[in-house]
Amino acid sequence: MANSAPTVAEAERFETDQAISLKAKDIANLIKHSKHFIVFTGAGISTSAGIPDFRGPDGVWTLRKQKRDAPSKATSTLQAIPTPTHMALVKLQNRGLLKYLVSQNCDGLHRKSGIAPEMISELHGNSNREYCRDCGKEYIRDFRAVAPYTKTVTDHRTGRKCSMPGCNGVLLDTIINFGECLFEQPLKLAREHGKKADFCLVLGSSLTVPPACTIPEIAGKSKRGKLGICNLQSTPLDHLVDGESMRVFARTDDLMIAVMGHLGLEIPQFVLRRQLTVKLVMGERDRNQVILQGVDVDGTPSTFLKSVRLEGCRRPAVTEPFTLSLRMDGQEELRLKLELEFMGNYLEPNVEIVHSTQCSERLYLLEYSPYTREWQVVAKDYSRPSAQ
């Protein structure tokens, strides 16, 4: 916390564009020829999205140590747009170059940007993710799924209950507060990939918080592994980097834009991607229901809607799963017009989908550009994920 930060933060260093480009070329070459390339990220990769870091000159802990107020211009993690660094990592993942990502960040931007769930260890949690204490079921939310901590920082109850049939267990946030143990599985996977890595690139981390900081150390001390670090301040692991060209004093966006240029890869623009299942349940005496549920790519329930309105019905559904009554009145097919209202973190407008009652269940892929404020909707036959 604040006690872990110096009263006066170390000055940030900025290398020239030419120096960054030369080092980026060496880093790109290592990425291209590595067999198991991993990345370790810290708060520094999100500062250009408006989210402050912790130990920089205007970092959260630094200001608290100096008894100064945090800047009011900070962007909410819910409204922050993933940075060029986030999107470059998505591209490297999709091209098969990035084998695993380890992050200390709780802002949820990696998952939102398009990093697959099985490709990342969020060691300190995710402020948009909660889980059931009883059955372990996870939930992704478009709101802060964090406990109020009114009694103690170890009380992680969010106030919601598990919706799995027969469970109704207490939901807990995934945030790791100071003094708490990390979740076993993400840490285990991070260590395994740290041992396998032949190149580990650290982006925007002071590398001062254990046990997370031991992951790059594993790679740096390995005989077959190489370590690179991009951070504006010095770190305790600088002596382990593989030569001067692997220690970059720069903003992570500046480095990753240069790296991607040397790799000949374009950094994609951020697109908010959501998935929605629409299921038709036929009942006796024309007591039918249409049920809508947001899902993540691995089948995890995902909350991103405020309400669903069916044309012809007076009242919208406002609780999950969104359930609406439907009368067929003897008709073989109806084309249901469903108006979706979103949380609005990116000023998403409502969108209408049209669902045929001849399809019992369908998956809708929703893609939204925060730059044009337009939705693209694609319907697909639904194959239920095996993950619970």
Side-chain angles (χ1 to χ4, degrees), residues 218-366:
I218 291 171
K221 289 183 175 180
S222 168
K223 291 182 179 180
R224 60 187 296 271
K226 297 181 185 297
L227 178 65
I229 299 174
C230 176
N231 197 56
L232 290 171
Q233 297 167 307
S234 62
T235 83
L237 299 187
D238 285 355
H239 66 286
L240 294 179
V241 297
D242 191 60
E244 186 179 342
S245 65
M246 291 296 108
R247 184 58 180 96
V248 189
F249 290 90
R251 294 184 178 91
T252 61
D253 287 347
D254 294 339
L255 174 65
M256 291 310 297
I257 289 170
V259 167
M260 298 299 278
H262 287 298
L263 288 171
L265 298 176
E266 184 178 353
I267 298 177
Q269 195 173 62
F270 169 63
V271 174
L272 181 67
R273 291 182 170 87
R274 297 292 184 238
Q275 296 189 156
L276 180 73
T277 61
V278 178
K279 183 178 181 180
L280 189 64
V281 179
M282 308 302 290
E284 296 180 355
R285 299 180 182 180
D286 208 19
R287 294 175 179 173
N288 313 309
Q289 292 181 324
V290 56
I291 303 173
L292 295 88
Q293 174 71 63
V295 292
D296 201 10
V297 292
D298 58 352
T300 300
S302 178
T303 301
F304 54 83
L305 293 176
K306 275 187 179 179
S307 69
V308 177
R309 184 182 293 275
L310 173 62
E311 185 182 53
C313 290
R314 288 186 301 172
R315 296 179 179 177
V318 294
T319 57
E320 291 184 300
F322 299 97
T323 304
L324 297 151
S325 298
L326 174 67
R327 293 184 65 87
M328 297 289 290
D329 293 327
Q331 299 183 63
E332 291 186 2
E333 179 187 11
L334 289 178
R335 294 182 65 78
L336 309 177
K337 293 184 178 180
L338 299 159
E339 183 181 358
L340 311 179
E341 180 188 12
F342 298 86
M343 293 292 181
N345 295 320
Y346 294 113
L347 304 178
E348 308 98 300
N350 292 5
V351 70
E352 183 183 90
I353 61 173
V354 180
H355 181 81
S356 170
T357 55
Q358 290 191 337
C359 181
S360 62
E361 190 168 10
R362 176 153 284 179
L363 179 70
Y364 290 86
L365 307 181
L366 313 172

Side-chain angles (χ1 to χ4, degrees), residues 77-93:
T77 57
L78 295 172
Q79 298 172 321
I81 291 179
T83 67
T85 298
H86 288 97
M87 300 313 300
L89 296 178
V90 172
K91 185 72 170 186
L92 293 173
Q93 167 198 259

